[in-house]
Amino acid sequence: MNETLLEVDDLRTYFFTDEGVVRAVDGVSFSVRAGETLAVVGESGSGKSVTSLSILRLIPSPPGRIVHGSIRFKGRDLLALSNHEMRRIRGREISMIFQEPMTSLNPVYTCGDQIMEALILHEQLDRRAARERAIEMLKLVGIPSPGERVDEYPHQMSGGMRQRVMIAMALACHPSILIADEPTTALDVTIQAQILELLKRLQSELGMAVILITHDLGVVAETADRVVVMYGGQVVESCDVNDAFRRTRHPYTAGLLRSLPRLGSRKALRVIPGTVPDPAHFPLGCRFEPRCPVAIPRCGDPPPLERVEDGHLARCWRAREIASGSLDPAPAEEAPRG
């Protein structure tokens, strides 16, 4: 069995604002094994991106702060490291592809310079050797004429090419873990497929683990080994990717799956009623209860994240009924509650 590279345990990241305490991440736990792809899924506002930024300790402070939990990478607690020690891990051991490459790339530096920066800092290469490696990385991610593109600025490239530059930057030092935060957002379908195929190929070649943050379950089905579903700053389900699609144990995951368009279907798309709760004012009980079609009075108490079956965790009082087949987690008539 592959070794566990990363263990996140009871992570809580809060933002202290004038309007109150925003509990963006509120007790999240999961692990990542070497060579696997873990998908973190959920609607916007569920806490996915804040979780990823917390792993790299990139939460803006103030107002944000990691108030509890541990993040262990290769046995070391990242929350106990100094800023200097974290800078040696970012980009070298754990890299991240951010959502929007045009705002993540510096417009006043060439793409090559931005790739070279990590190589000079972490690998202690001189500028000539770093430039040669940057050209190699641009070639690796499929950018044509890399010897010329290395001297171009981000605005001279298309959205898909900028995303490839971001991937080249993230992989330049051959990290153990790559965090990909919505890596195909704002790209057309053809480019999305190319980027995902590129990530799969590079993962296989470099042997790294990938944390893929997305709201697109189609992407999850194509790329992930395991799935963590987040809602309201918490993990509500964690399982093998096949279980997520065939044997989900949580009404929220079932709702996400049933909202997917079906090829050839002319029926109206189904939606999950209501909206994601305000993280400054979460419901006292189950955070999905106001939107849940199978909620019961007991849902007024917060459910724990429990093992329903081997390797399958769910945060739902009715998970065992769903597992037994006696309860449909997403019945046809769905209406908001509360």
Side-chain angles (χ1 to χ4, degrees):
M1 181 178 290
N2 291 343
E3 64 171 326
T4 298
L5 290 179
L6 182 73
E7 293 179 279
V8 178
D9 183 37
D10 200 22
L11 178 66
R12 300 175 190 269
T13 303
Y14 296 172
F15 292 83
F16 297 85
T17 71
D18 293 338
E19 289 73 33
V21 179
V22 176
R23 294 178 288 166
V25 175
D26 198 21
V28 167
S29 300
F30 61 83
S31 62
V32 182
R33 295 190 290 266
E36 79 168 344
T37 298
L38 175 73
V40 181
V41 182
E43 295 168 278
S44 296
S46 61
K48 307 185 303 298
S49 293
V50 176
T51 298
S52 66
L53 292 172
S54 297
I55 291 171
L56 287 173
R57 283 176 46 187
L58 292 175
I59 298 298
S61 179
R65 191 165 78 241
I66 299 173
V67 300
H68 185 74
S70 66
I71 304 170
R72 303 193 70 82
F73 172 66
K74 294 183 177 179
R76 304 172 71 193
D77 188 354
L78 300 185
L79 301 184
L81 300 184
S82 66
N83 289 331
H84 175 71
E85 289 172 314
M86 275 305 302
R87 282 194 293 271
R88 292 188 60 80
I89 286 177
R90 296 188 195 110
R92 184 183 187 183
E93 298 276 4
I94 306 175
S95 285
M96 185 168 181
I97 304 170
F98 296 93
Q99 284 190 32
E100 182 48 64
M102 198 57 205
T103 57
S104 300
L105 293 170
N106 193 320
V108 301
Y109 290 98
T110 66
C111 294
D113 281 337
Q114 296 182 64
I115 298 172
M116 290 162 58
E117 181 181 13
L119 294 167
I120 293 171
L121 175 65
H122 294 303
E123 303 287 331
Q124 284 78 52
L125 300 182
D126 59 36
R127 287 194 61 84
R128 181 173 181 176
R131 177 183 169 85
E132 291 176 356
R133 177 83 73 84
I135 293 173
E136 290 176 10
M137 292 306 302
L138 292 177
K139 182 179 180 181
L140 184 67
V141 299
I143 290 181
S145 305
E148 300 173 11
R149 292 297 183 100
V150 73
D151 295 318
E152 292 188 355
Y153 291 87
H155 73 270
Q156 295 177 277
M157 295 192 175
S158 66
M161 288 298 177
R162 287 195 294 266
Q163 193 66 284
R164 290 171 186 265
V165 171
M166 285 290 298
I167 295 172
M169 286 176 59
L171 300 183
C173 296
H174 297 174
S176 299
I177 298 177
L178 174 67
I179 302 173
D181 188 359
E182 303 279 5
T184 58
T185 296
L187 300 178
D188 64 58
V189 176
T190 303
I191 302 300
Q192 283 185 27
Q194 292 176 2
I195 293 297
L196 291 172
E197 184 59 35
L198 172 64
L199 285 175
K200 288 173 65 177
R201 177 172 62 82
L202 294 177
Q203 179 184 23
S204 175
E205 292 178 5
L206 302 176
M208 63 186 175
V210 174
I211 301 175
L212 178 64
I213 298 170
T214 183
H215 60 267
D216 188 338
L217 289 171
V219 169
V220 172
E222 290 290 327
T223 60
D225 299 305
R226 290 190 300 124
V227 180
V228 165
V229 182
M230 290 188 64
Y231 184 82
Q234 297 179 326
V235 174
V236 296
E237 189 163 14
S238 176
C239 60
D240 179 85
V241 67
N242 292 324
D243 281 355
F245 282 87
R246 298 173 187 171
R247 303 167 58 234
T248 177
R249 300 297 180 245
H250 198 282
Y252 177 62
T253 311
L256 291 177
L257 291 170
R258 295 198 181 182
S259 67
L260 291 173
R262 297 291 188 269
L263 186 64
S265 174
R266 297 187 178 183
K267 295 181 180 179
L269 288 178
R270 296 177 61 181
V271 299
I272 301 175
T275 58
V276 175
D278 179 356
H281 303 94
F282 282 132
L284 295 178
C286 174
R287 295 178 182 178
F288 187 57
E289 189 271 342
R291 306 174 69 188
C292 182
V294 296
I296 55 177
R298 191 183 184 188
C299 298
D301 297 323
L305 183 66
E306 293 184 319
R307 189 176 304 279
V308 182
E309 296 169 307
D310 186 37
H312 199 137
L313 307 178
R315 190 185 298 273
C316 180
W317 291 120
R318 310 197 72 180
R320 298 191 185 284
E321 293 177 71
I322 296 170
S324 69
S326 63
L327 178 68
D328 184 349
E333 293 299 323
E334 296 185 7
R337 300 175 60 91

